[in-house]
Each structure stands twice: as C-alpha cells, then as structure tokens.
Amino acid sequence: MINFSQFSKNKIESLFEKSLQLKTLTNAQNFSPSTALNPSEPLVQVGRGQTAALLFFEPSTRTRFSFEAACARAGYHPMVLDGGIGTSLEKGETVTDTILNIEAMRPLFFVIRCNNDLNLQEVAKGLSVPVINAGWGLQGHPTQALLDTLSLFEKWQSLTKKKILFVGDVKHSRVVASHFELSQILNYEIGICAPTEFLPTSEKHENFKYFEKLEDALEWADAVMALRVQKERHDGSFFDVVNYRKKFGLNSERLSKVSPKTLIMHPGPINYGVELEKEVLNDPRSLVLQQVENGVFLREALIRNLFKETL
Ligand code: CP
C-alpha cells in the first residue's frame, strides 16, 4: 500500500467498518476483564507471533506507536528501526541494503517511513512481502488520510460531497497529497486556505477550491484540518509567525464564529501558537485525539486484512 491505486470506495468503507468494529470490541473489553481473557473471534491474533518490520527512517510518534500497537493487537511481533541510531546505517550501510537484510529475516510485511531520496514504489516492487507506506517524503501518507476520513466517517457515515478544508502548509504536506487521491475515491471536496508560499504547485491540485480569507473558508467547510508548518522542509527563508498566526491560526475566538457542526482536526504533531492554539483541543468539535485513537484501529484493520483476498 504505497498509495490508493488498489483501493475502491467499497474496500475503504469496509476497512472503516472493520476499524470501528475493532474499536467497539476493544472498548467493551476494557470494561470487562473477562472478555479480555476470552477474546471474541474478530480479535484473534492472526499474526501468531510472526514478525513485521517497522522501519522509520524519519521521526514519528503517532504513526510508529500506532503501528506497533496494531501489530501487538493483531498478534505480530514488530521489529522496529527508529531513526537508525544504533544500526549499521551509522557505519554507512545504505537504506536499501538495510531493507534487503531485514527482508532476509522474513518479516511478513514492512511498514516504511522514508524521505524522497528512497523510491518506495521501486523498493516495494523488489520485495516479496507487502509494504505499507507510513509517510514517504512529499509523496503521500495514505494511512493518515484513512484515519482522518475514518474519524469523519464515524461522525457522518459517508464522506460523499462533504467539504474538507486544509489550512496552512499544503505545499509540504504528504497528508494533503494522500487526501487529494482519497477524495477522488470517497467523493469529498477539498478546500485550501494558505499563504502564497504554502500553496501547492502541482497542477493535480486544480480541482481544489481556494480561499484567501480564513473566515470565508471556515464558513464553507464541514471539517477543517490545520496543517503543521513544516519548518524542516522549508528552504530557510524567513517565516513571519506573528502574521501567520493572525491570518491562518485556529483559536477559540475565531472558531466561536463557526458552525457548531464544523469538525476540527490536525494530523499532528502540532506547533501550538502557530497553526493552532492549545485551547482548541478542548473544543467539543475537536477530533484531534480521536484521530490518534482511530489510527490504531485503522492500522490494525489494515494489518488484519493484509493477507485476505478482499477487505
Ligand atoms: N501524523 C503523523 O504522521 O505523526 P507522526 O509523524 O508523529 O507519526
């Protein structure tokens, strides 16, 4: 799963149903220790202690831990590479050789986060087991887009014709790149509100609706996703935080004028005081931590279905 090329609307919606079923069963289990000792059929450990390789060549908290949790819950033992410190990458071994050597240890699947220097598509073609993209350079972050839309599906039961607004650093966002693809499958609309230097450059984004003023964009949206300003991907040019926060930051005052039904999201990690104020997390419309919670169930459902013909 490098992108959504093999995914239909039906397939994705059944993945969502499965994720929510896992969530319901888990929540029920938490209240009843006896069910934890006697798991029902859908919670069977399909991995049976086999290994999965989780290779994170770039930093991660949410994606890495949720894949680890998902592996544990599904019965796979995760072998984790976290940034490469303490591995032979430090001795100059290449990323490609690292992957080949870990493949020789026969994990049943790979989860890989890497930068643009690696052609993940080509790497996946060369491996004999499935590869899940856990964030690849600027190319995409499909499981993030899925957990975002799962969180909306949980509220709305369908994404069709819904309006999702992305505010901020769209240009450097692999999350938006994946939403562009996913929106074509699930039929939701995408709006963008961003300063000129953060606007996407690809003509692929022509179908987006663009807003200059955040107030107009918020009025249009059914859900708004603030994006992290990705300073590490910028070219070092001056970034005016004060002006950005004033024009594009989400805060209680601004959101008090927005419909009580408009949902508020962020893929994380958050730069508080830049794209979003901490107080927004307490807004009853905020899904930020539900996105993280749903990320475990979405990834668990994905892993449980990896070796099935259909989802
Ligand atoms: N949203 C996301 O990918 O977060 P991490 O970088 O912490 O995994």
Side-chain angles (χ1 to χ4, degrees):
M1 184 198 179
I2 305 301
N3 51 39
F4 293 114
S5 60
Q6 291 171 39
F7 282 75
S8 63
K9 186 166 188 262
N10 280 348
K11 204 166 165 178
I12 291 169
E13 289 189 346
S14 68
L15 183 68
F16 287 169
E17 299 289 359
K18 173 117 187 171
S19 310
L20 295 176
Q21 188 194 19
L22 289 166
K23 185 175 181 177
T24 304
L25 284 167
T26 302
N27 289 342
Q29 216 180 48
N30 286 344
F31 292 109
S32 166
S34 59
T35 50
L37 295 174
N38 183 20
S40 50
E41 177 63 23
L43 295 178
V44 161
Q45 300 230 309
V46 290
R48 296 188 181 86
Q50 294 276 4
T51 55
L54 275 49
L55 310 185
F56 282 74
F57 298 103
E58 279 194 335
S60 168
T61 299
R62 278 147 292 274
T63 313
R64 179 167 71 80
F65 278 92
S66 61
F67 267 114
E68 280 193 63
C71 281
R73 291 168 51 85
Y76 288 96
H77 179 84
M79 303 193 290
V80 184
L81 182 149
D82 177 15
I85 293 175
T87 73
S88 288
L89 286 162
E90 291 195 302
K91 296 181 234 167
E93 187 164 38
T94 63
V95 167
T96 314
D97 263 350
T98 303
I99 295 172
L100 282 179
N101 278 270
I102 292 172
E103 187 195 20
M105 299 172 203
R106 299 275 174 242
L108 287 202
F109 62 93
F110 280 85
V111 173
I112 300 180
R113 171 170 288 195
C114 59
N115 63 25
N116 282 321
D117 293 344
L118 193 72
N119 186 335
L120 192 57
Q121 190 101 52
E122 288 304 310
V123 168
K125 274 186 203 157
L127 294 173
S128 55
V129 292
V131 177
I132 301 174
N133 172 0
W136 170 22
L138 297 181
Q139 311 285 329
H141 191 353
T143 61
Q144 178 69 45
L146 283 174
L147 74 87
D148 296 337
T149 44
L150 167 64
S151 305
L152 295 171
F153 180 86
E154 191 178 21
K155 294 275 177 198
W156 297 332
Q157 287 76 54
S158 169
L159 275 281
T160 303
K161 298 248 187 281
K162 290 291 189 184
K163 299 177 172 110
I164 307 185
L165 172 70
F166 293 88
V167 180
D169 196 353
V170 177
K171 185 174 178 177
H172 303 102
S173 176
R174 55 191 174 204
V175 177
V176 178
S178 286
H179 273 285
F180 170 75
E181 244 191 292
L182 191 54
S183 66
Q184 316 284 304
I185 303 171
L186 297 181
N187 302 317
Y188 56 93
E189 294 176 37
I190 290 185
I192 303 283
C193 185
T196 317
E197 65 270 28
F198 289 167
L199 288 174
T201 44
S202 163
E203 72 284 353
K204 273 202 311 190
H205 300 124
E206 271 171 6
N207 294 334
F208 293 173
K209 193 169 170 63
Y210 289 85
F211 295 91
E212 277 185 23
K213 282 187 69 183
L214 184 53
E215 280 63 27
D216 296 340
L218 288 170
E219 203 180 312
W220 171 86
D222 294 308
V224 51
M225 173 114 57
L227 297 171
R228 182 170 71 88
V229 175
Q230 301 197 33
K231 286 184 219 133
E232 76 279 13
R233 298 194 199 275
H234 298 174
D235 57 9
S237 52
F238 174 70
F239 171 64
D240 184 349
V241 180
V242 176
N243 193 37
Y244 182 86
R245 187 182 187 190
K246 201 165 127 195
K247 279 181 140 172
F248 299 101
L250 295 186
N251 56 45
S252 292
E253 208 231 313
R254 187 163 254 150
L255 290 167
S256 68
K257 296 173 191 139
V258 175
S259 162
K261 290 189 173 165
T262 305
L263 299 169
I264 304 160
M265 308 174 82
H266 193 300
I270 301 172
N271 292 310
Y272 291 112
V274 184
E275 69 264 6
L276 189 134
E277 301 301 315
K278 204 156 197 167
E279 71 224 16
V280 175
L281 286 193
N282 298 325
D283 190 302
R285 296 165 293 181
S286 166
L287 294 184
V288 174
L289 290 175
Q290 284 167 53
Q291 288 171 263
V292 178
E293 183 187 12
N294 284 338
V296 174
F297 300 111
L298 182 280
R299 288 167 175 137
E300 183 185 349
L302 193 63
I303 287 169
R304 285 180 176 278
N305 284 298
L306 266 184
F307 299 101
K308 287 191 180 163
E309 285 296 305
T310 53
L311 284 170

